[in-house]
Amino acid sequence: ATAVPMAGAALARAAQLWSLLDEMAENEPQAYRRLLRQQRAEAERLCAPPEPHLCLRARPARGRGAQPRLGLLQGVVGGPLFINVCSWKRVPAPKAPTDPTPASAGPLEEVSGEGDLYSIIDIAYNPDVLQRGEENPEKMEHLIHLTLKFVEERCNLILSYLYTIESFKLKGSLEMMQQRLKGRQMPTPHLSQNTKKELTLDQLLHATGAEDCSNAPVLLKEESVTQSKVHLIEEITSTEMPEKLSTPVYEIITMKDANKKPLKIELRIELPKVSSVSECDLRISKDDIIIEVPEKYKLQLDLPELVDEETTTAVFNKGKRVLFITVPVATPDP
């Protein structure tokens, strides 16, 4: 019974708006063109899709409460976690350097197929935030640190803060990444749905302009974010810069047989600040090895030979505080 009067009132306000615009075009042509440019730029911002910027390879441990341990975590908890860090004009930039950093996140997904098992999540920032990171490596490291912390809290994970920046910018397809991020948007409201308060000129322009774009959200305002059950934009707050970890002294030796065929790789790592093996986090793949001691050490080495990571052994000498790792060289396929 009230739908028709409300639609009529909305149409009347729209007619009044067009009348105001016609009057502005005639009497203040410069202001009219400036308004159109502003609205066109805003429409382009709202309709711009997220674009890949860089891809992080993180290493998830167990669920909350897991203790640091010495172990081979390759393949644990669905394999490695790939974080697609994306650039999206729709995500606002912080108003000031000390303000929280807005971010938009997609769902965490597990992918398996052809023997490959991994998890993937997409995190989007304003292009200005990522540009500042490109200009300042410390800012980029800080942003990555915040991203890992954000994913931990959102997905109830514990991640190693020893990450890898992949050579490719995106894990998976561009279409799937954009779909995952856009899937968190709220639908665009029609004029007849806005019944609680009168439409302003700015709101009407944004609402009508957004309908020209497929699946475009409403203009992100603070109140719409806090009232929504599914937050489109979340804020990451941290003034802490990641602590610099030192590289431990190490020695790597490739043991060979009489025919100079590589048999195994032995690695000796000095960890004078470590008192227990439980502080160490060790990961080995076929071609590299990573050792991390939170807040103390980190070491990432490319191995000189492909290895059999499944048969790796590690021993920690408490007296000398030295970690010994032995990795057999992989047998080539016949």
Side-chain angles (χ1 to χ4, degrees), residues 169-213:
K169 291 185 177 181
L170 181 71
K171 182 69 173 179
S173 71
L174 178 65
E175 292 76 15
M176 288 302 296
M177 176 273 284
Q178 293 176 344
Q179 181 179 334
R180 285 191 296 262
L181 282 172
K182 290 182 177 181
R184 294 183 58 77
Q185 298 170 7
M186 293 186 294
T188 303
H190 295 286
L191 297 180
S192 60
Q193 293 176 333
N194 200 322
T195 59
K196 292 186 178 180
K197 57 184 179 181
E198 186 172 335
L199 284 171
T200 64
L201 169 64
D202 181 65
Q203 290 169 322
L204 184 56
L205 282 171
H206 284 304
T208 56
E211 288 191 349
D212 292 335
C213 305

Side-chain angles (χ1 to χ4, degrees), residues 30-103:
Q30 291 185 349
Y32 178 73
R33 287 194 293 270
R34 185 166 58 249
L35 176 63
L36 289 184
R37 285 196 300 269
Q38 291 172 349
Q39 295 307 314
R40 186 178 296 112
E42 184 63 18
E44 290 176 355
R45 184 185 74 83
L46 288 175
C47 296
E51 298 293 339
H53 186 79
L54 62 84
C55 180
L56 301 174
R57 181 188 178 104
R59 294 158 180 86
R62 299 178 180 178
R64 288 276 170 212
Q67 297 297 318
R69 66 188 182 94
L70 177 66
L72 306 181
L73 300 185
Q74 187 74 18
V76 176
V77 193
L81 169 64
F82 291 95
I83 304 173
N84 290 323
V85 178
C86 305
S87 170
W88 202 6
K89 292 180 180 179
R90 193 169 301 183
V91 180
K95 295 180 180 179
T98 56
D99 285 354
T101 303

Side-chain angles (χ1 to χ4, degrees), residues 113-126:
E114 299 180 359
D116 200 11
L117 180 63
Y118 59 89
S119 299
I120 188 169
I121 190 170
D122 314 288
I123 310 292
Y125 297 103
N126 185 275

